[in-house]
Amino acid sequence: MHEMALCESVVQALGEQAAAQGFARVTAVWLEIGALASVEPEAMRFGFDVVTRDTVANQARLEIIEVAGEAWCMQCAARVGLQRFGEACPQCGGYQLQVLTGQQIRIKQIEVM
Amino acid sequence: MCGICGCGTSEMVDTAPATLAEHRHDHDHDAGGARMVRIEQDIMAKNQRYADANRHYFAAHGIFVVNLMSSPGAGKTTLLVRAVEALKGRVPVAVIEGDQQTGLDAARIAATGVPAWQINTGKACHLDAHAIGHALDHLPALDGGILFIENVGNLVCPAGFDLGEAHKVVILSITEGEDKPLKYSDMFHAADLMILNKTDLLPYVTFDADAAIAYARQVNPQIDVQAVSGLFGDGLEAFLAWLDVGSIRAQQAAQQATLSNKVVVGDRIVVERRAG
């Protein structure tokens, strides 16, 4: 979706962390992206390179950790995998699914100097 | 709205203390003291804080807020004009319009006599919660009323941004394909109500309404469905009734909160975006 705007949020968060913790440069960023977060990792990489120019994270390496989606199937009463909305339960083929995880876009850790 | 978000006086910043990760030795030290910092920061957390602040404000004032989303040209503004014409004089009503450019939509709403504020997002493809807070500065008090937010015409990005609304409503016009709920599943998953619009054109198109509803429920089993002709007003009663119920509930919740001297706040937590 709006990967560029998300990259700008990442850079803003890095700037805030730099000010709060007193580091001069971010050399790598580990970003966790859930399968159900509507974020395209490749678009994120492209946006990140552009948006980080002339910031605290100039030329930083972006490591994307892709996390699978999970849902609760009401019919099976079980935790099942879900890679996109509208997909059926892999066990029963039903659609009574409640998302449990996979919508996150989160900075896990950063390497700083 | 500076009173809500605090911007202009002091920026909302993440105050969660970052903790140093264990020093790792899978890297060399030539770089001159590189270290790992574990921060676990949700990228959407900032928008979520603004959205929570908006929701807090709406709850305290008994304002029922609906976020209308669709692809461009699905008839959001035409439907809105109909709805606000029917509601004005009964409850306080206002509209926030989101478009990349122009104030044309706000002008269409304002022509009905209902206050409207246009947000031009420029290059951005969606409205965010911070912009909504500021738009409230330009609208009259809406206590016990209904606020419509007409999002930027886009079936993708607006789904990801909580604005503090009570409900997201997706409008699918029958001149689009019935498979849109499957193609743009994030949007239909995020919405609580799907309105099939332009039903006056049904005789002229091959749209399969049953299939559209089945696809929407495949993506979101809880989604409600209504069908309207925004142009002629057919089916509008059901939407107005849905709005009345929501508005009455919002007013009652605000009254109860005042009585018990506490403010009802949503159950959202910033750690992860809402699941559904």
Side-chain angles (χ1 to χ4, degrees):
Chain A
M1 48 178 184
H2 37 268
E3 280 79 0
M4 210 61 146
L6 293 175
C7 287
E8 281 166 0
S9 299
V10 170
V11 168
Q12 198 174 13
L14 296 176
E16 285 169 11
Q17 291 285 342
Q21 300 196 54
F23 50 78
R25 269 192 68 204
V26 177
T27 48
V29 177
W30 279 260
L31 197 61
E32 184 179 270
I33 299 177
L36 304 172
S38 351
V39 174
E40 182 52 48
E42 279 318 304
M44 206 69 197
R45 280 183 216 284
F46 174 79
F48 187 80
D49 286 345
V50 174
V51 168
T52 50
R53 262 175 222 159
D54 302 324
T55 72
V56 69
N58 194 24
Q59 296 195 311
R61 192 171 83 249
L62 179 64
E63 300 278 355
I64 292 178
I65 308 159
E66 294 186 46
V67 182
E70 281 191 320
W72 180 257
C73 176
M74 312 269 194
Q75 264 163 305
C76 300
R79 229 181 148 95
V80 298
L82 182 67
Q83 291 318 301
R84 58 176 177 81
F85 296 120
E87 198 177 71
C89 167
Q91 292 183 20
C92 71
Y95 294 101
Q96 296 291 321
L97 300 168
Q98 206 75 48
V99 175
L100 296 172
T101 184
Q103 291 187 292
Q104 68 270 43
I105 314 163
R106 188 185 291 149
I107 304 173
K108 295 294 285 182
Q109 61 180 8
I110 54 181
E111 185 183 70
V112 304
M113 285 172 65
Chain B
M1 173 171 278
C2 294
I4 290 180
C5 72
C7 78
T9 49
S10 61
E11 264 285 284
M12 282 179 99
V13 293
D14 205 331
T15 51
T19 53
L20 285 175
E22 275 181 60
H23 190 97
R24 291 185 170 196
H25 282 103
D26 55 358
H27 59 107
D28 63 49
H29 283 197
D30 293 341
R35 63 191 165 98
M36 301 298 285
V37 180
R38 188 169 286 277
I39 56 177
E40 295 283 350
Q41 189 168 341
D42 185 341
I43 295 310
M44 299 302 287
K46 190 164 187 171
N47 184 71
Q48 194 60 59
R49 282 196 297 276
Y50 288 124
D52 289 344
N54 290 347
R55 188 167 283 114
H56 196 283
Y57 173 84
F58 297 141
H61 293 266
I63 305 170
F64 182 59
V65 184
V66 177
N67 178 4
L68 292 169
M69 299 178 290
S70 77
S71 49
K76 290 186 297 299
T77 314
T78 302
L79 177 64
L80 256 183
V81 167
R82 280 259 169 209
V84 300
E85 287 275 15
L87 290 166
K88 71 178 182 186
R90 285 171 44 197
V91 288
V93 185
V95 178
I96 297 172
E97 287 285 346
D99 278 302
Q100 286 196 316
Q101 299 290 340
T102 84
L104 295 172
D105 280 359
R108 283 173 69 186
I109 299 295
T112 68
V114 165
W117 181 255
Q118 181 82 47
I119 299 172
N120 280 146
T121 58
K123 278 178 274 184
C125 47
H126 58 274
L127 290 174
D128 63 38
H130 187 216
I132 295 303
H134 279 286
L136 294 175
D137 281 342
H138 303 279
L139 294 169
L142 269 180
D143 293 48
I146 299 176
L147 173 65
F148 294 98
I149 301 169
E150 184 182 336
N151 220 311
V152 179
N154 177 348
L155 272 181
V156 186
C157 311
F161 288 81
D162 186 0
L163 304 180
E165 73 282 322
H167 294 289
K168 289 184 171 74
V169 174
V170 62
I171 296 167
L172 174 61
S173 65
I174 56 118
T175 53
E176 303 170 64
E178 60 270 330
D179 51 5
K180 284 274 174 82
L182 292 181
K183 289 179 173 170
Y184 299 92
S185 55
D186 293 318
M187 175 61 74
F188 290 83
H189 182 263
D192 300 308
L193 171 65
M194 172 172 78
I195 296 179
L196 297 178
N197 193 21
K198 306 190 186 179
T199 52
D200 49 290
L201 294 177
L202 268 172
Y204 310 105
V205 295
T206 56
F207 186 82
D208 184 341
D210 291 337
I213 295 167
Y215 290 147
R217 296 234 159 101
Q218 188 174 322
V219 169
N220 179 358
Q222 278 83 39
I223 199 165
D224 286 327
V225 180
Q226 295 183 357
V228 302
S229 162
L231 190 59
F232 295 106
D234 305 85
L236 194 71
E237 311 77 34
F239 183 47
L240 294 175
W242 183 86
L243 291 167
D244 279 336
V245 170
S247 178
I248 289 165
R249 283 193 184 141
Q251 291 173 53
Q252 285 173 343
Q255 282 161 4
Q256 280 169 6
T258 308
L259 289 174
S260 59
N261 197 28
K262 63 179 181 186
V263 176
V264 178
V265 187
D267 56 355
R268 307 196 181 207
I269 296 167
V270 296
V271 176
E272 186 171 335
R273 279 193 292 156
R274 184 169 67 115

